[in-house]
Amino acid sequence: MEFTRQDFPERFLFGVATSAYQIEGHGFGGAGQTHWDTFAATPGNVVNGENGALACDHYHRMDEDLDLVAAGNFDVYRFSTSWARVMPEGRGTVNQRGLDFYDRLVDGLLERGLKPALTLYHWELPSPLADEGGWRNRAMGDWFADYVDVVARRLGDRIWSAAPINEPWCVAWLSHFEGHHAPGLRDIRAAARAMHHVLLSHGRAIEVMRGHGMTNLGAVCNFEYAQPVDDSPAAHRAAETYDAIYNRFFLGGLFRGTYPEAALDGLAPYLPVRWDEDFSSIGQPLDWLGLNYYTRKVIGPTGGAWPGYAYLDGPLPKTDMGWEIYPEGLTHFLRLAQDHAQGLPLYVTENGMAAPGLRDEDRLAYINAHLARVRSAIAEGLPVAGYYLWSLLDNYEWALGYDKRFGLVHVDFDTLVRTPKLSYEKLKLALAKS
Ligand code: IFM
């Protein structure tokens, strides 16, 4: 690596991230059906119709996986609890086996000297709640608060940090407007409601966790740099709309008590009634802000119906996802985050690339380039307090199935054998503590 731990401030934290449905094996331990199970079972939605029933079998291999986190010299492990594992119907009955599993996970982290960083929703919505409209339904705020309450009672005393919802843009826009993720809708009213209800549910969850005395509570948003395809006013307008929907809508809701005009231009008629009265719940004080950052999009105008933009092919080198590598964007978003969060600690809660092979020199270069941006952000005075790699293991990359390999550790999906890649070994050396 082109850095060591010693090149960062003493209290700077390095972490590695995963999520429940992507690694655990949802078929085990009494977890209920989710909208990802049915989305994947519907032909055409997921490459090869793959689902998370087995995934990395982390449910049975948790100790081996936590050993890998500790041996890699990381400080923090960012994981999620699965709502449907904890409450198979989404409401009511609690699956004690599910809570026991997460209890062992948290204790396993603490025994290894690792900080547990909890996310409460990373995309697998219990099917009975999806049947009632899922994120389109305002009642999600209450249902989510009840689930968070169950988890907080059991784990809250040992959690180092917690964030309610991973990547609101994906939960709402990608899943309800672009239709690429479960529930696979392409409907502007559904998208507008989901965008607002995700934030409302975030606020409710923060209130519940504070009520249990939990501290170090934050939000995790994802960001993509919007690059206009050319200098025309139309291309700039298209990029501004994209930026408003993707990057500024959720920051605006969380920190400014409003949504950006360029997003309201199209979404306002479809938001729930009296949406503007919800910001006192949404804007609960936070202790940190997390940024998931991977790439930029080249944006061009389409004319026609709002939002009137298209994603165009860009000229930069790309990862296996077809995502352009653009570390400059991370600097841009750390500054934007600071403008909104005004001095709160900032964490890069996800960064990494999909790349094949065990000798993953390309991943090393990607990590080096992005960590160089983190270091320069710190040098310019931005309060960046930590950086997490996505991901510990190759895993279920949602609609793209098991083909795209984001792991520092290779997983053979036939044998489930884990093999550390070159990037894992190099990071382990760079992050050594003495
Ligand atoms: O795998 C996903 C993860 O679930 C959320 N953030 C982006 C990753 C890579 O696409």
Side-chain angles (χ1 to χ4, degrees):
M1 306 296 322
E2 289 167 7
F3 69 92
T4 69
R5 181 184 283 282
Q6 286 68 39
D7 294 317
F8 288 81
E10 205 185 324
R11 299 166 77 87
F12 191 89
L13 296 171
F14 289 91
V16 69
T18 63
S19 91
Y21 192 82
Q22 291 178 274
I23 67 165
E24 284 175 2
H26 197 74
F28 306 118
Q33 192 177 76
T34 78
H35 69 176
W36 264 97
D37 300 307
T38 54
F39 184 75
T42 309
N45 284 341
V46 176
V47 170
N48 302 324
E50 289 165 340
N51 61 34
L54 175 58
C56 306
D57 193 28
H58 171 75
Y59 188 79
H60 296 110
R61 296 162 197 255
M62 181 172 77
D63 282 315
E64 179 185 351
D65 293 340
L66 299 192
D67 285 346
L68 282 165
V69 182
N73 290 323
F74 295 100
D75 309 301
V76 195
Y77 179 61
R78 179 170 175 254
F79 67 100
S80 70
T81 45
S82 161
W83 189 340
R85 183 179 295 293
V86 173
M87 297 168 99
E89 296 295 312
R91 284 177 283 182
T93 310
V94 171
N95 172 28
Q96 289 305 332
R97 269 194 297 164
L99 273 183
D100 291 347
F101 170 73
Y102 293 121
D103 205 69
R104 288 199 303 280
L105 170 57
V106 171
D107 283 347
L109 289 168
L110 295 174
E111 281 157 16
R112 289 168 176 83
L114 295 163
K115 297 182 191 308
L118 167 68
T119 303
L120 286 128
Y121 183 79
H122 197 129
W123 305 359
E124 63 282 15
L125 185 69
S127 291
L129 305 185
D131 292 343
E132 294 191 39
W135 292 106
R136 285 174 286 163
N137 190 334
R138 186 179 176 86
M140 278 292 283
D142 296 330
W143 301 334
F144 190 56
D146 290 346
Y147 153 65
V148 171
D149 182 68
V150 169
V151 177
R153 279 176 199 279
R154 183 70 180 268
L155 307 180
D157 57 336
R158 284 157 293 149
I159 291 297
W160 171 72
S161 81
I165 294 166
N166 185 64
E167 299 185 351
W169 180 87
C170 291
V171 175
W173 190 261
L174 185 66
S175 310
H176 296 79
F177 189 82
E178 297 192 2
H180 293 314
H181 277 190
L185 296 178
R186 296 194 63 245
D187 184 280
I188 194 166
R189 179 176 161 103
R193 276 148 200 269
M195 286 170 89
H196 185 70
H197 293 149
V198 163
L199 284 174
L200 186 59
S201 304
H202 155 91
R204 297 289 309 280
I206 295 285
E207 271 181 290
V208 168
M209 291 191 281
R210 290 256 185 249
H212 285 291
M214 290 176 67
T215 54
N216 206 17
L217 308 181
V220 173
C221 299
N222 53 325
F223 297 90
E224 270 190 17
Y225 190 82
Q227 176 65 49
V229 66
D230 57 36
D231 271 343
S232 65
H236 277 269
R237 247 192 330 275
E240 189 195 346
T241 305
Y242 179 80
D243 188 46
I245 296 168
Y246 201 122
N247 302 311
R248 294 175 188 265
F249 186 92
F250 302 101
L251 285 180
L254 291 170
F255 294 106
R256 298 204 169 148
T258 185
Y259 297 137
E261 282 305 322
L264 288 175
D265 282 348
L267 291 176
Y270 308 107
L271 284 165
V273 286
R274 294 192 295 280
W275 56 271
D276 49 341
E277 294 173 14
D278 284 330
F279 288 112
S280 53
S281 293
I282 291 171
Q284 295 295 312
L286 296 177
D287 304 309
W288 54 271
L289 174 63
L291 296 84
N292 293 359
Y293 177 76
Y294 292 90
T295 187
R296 73 171 189 177
K297 282 275 190 318
V298 176
I299 303 292
T302 56
W306 189 90
Y309 59 66
Y311 305 152
L312 305 175
D313 190 36
L316 301 179
K318 298 188 176 75
T319 72
D320 214 29
M321 296 288 279
W323 294 349
E324 285 192 301
I325 300 174
Y326 188 63
E328 297 86 334
L330 183 55
T331 307
H332 170 84
F333 287 118
L334 288 169
R335 291 178 184 150
L336 184 74
Q338 159 74 354
D339 276 355
H340 285 78
Q342 301 279 327
L344 287 186
L346 305 175
Y347 292 89
V348 178
T349 30
E350 284 183 26
N351 181 238
M353 77 181 282
L358 286 171
R359 293 199 59 80
D360 50 348
E361 304 274 0
D362 40 5
R363 181 173 287 107
L364 290 176
Y366 183 100
I367 297 169
N368 277 325
H370 287 82
L371 272 170
R373 293 284 163 172
V374 170
R375 283 173 70 192
S376 54
I378 295 170
E380 79 178 64
L382 300 179
V384 194
Y387 172 91
Y388 297 67
L389 269 309
W390 183 270
S391 180
L392 173 67
L393 304 171
D394 291 337
N395 60 49
Y396 180 63
E397 181 52 26
W398 305 111
L400 300 176
Y402 290 94
D403 272 2
K404 306 295 177 200
R405 292 181 171 271
F406 275 92
L408 301 176
V409 175
H410 177 271
V411 176
D412 178 324
F413 288 108
D414 294 324
T415 62
L416 297 166
V417 167
R418 278 83 162 128
T419 309
K421 302 180 188 176
L422 183 67
S423 55
Y424 174 92
E425 301 296 355
K426 294 280 186 189
L427 275 163
K428 173 178 172 173
L429 290 175
L431 300 184
K433 285 178 186 143
S434 56

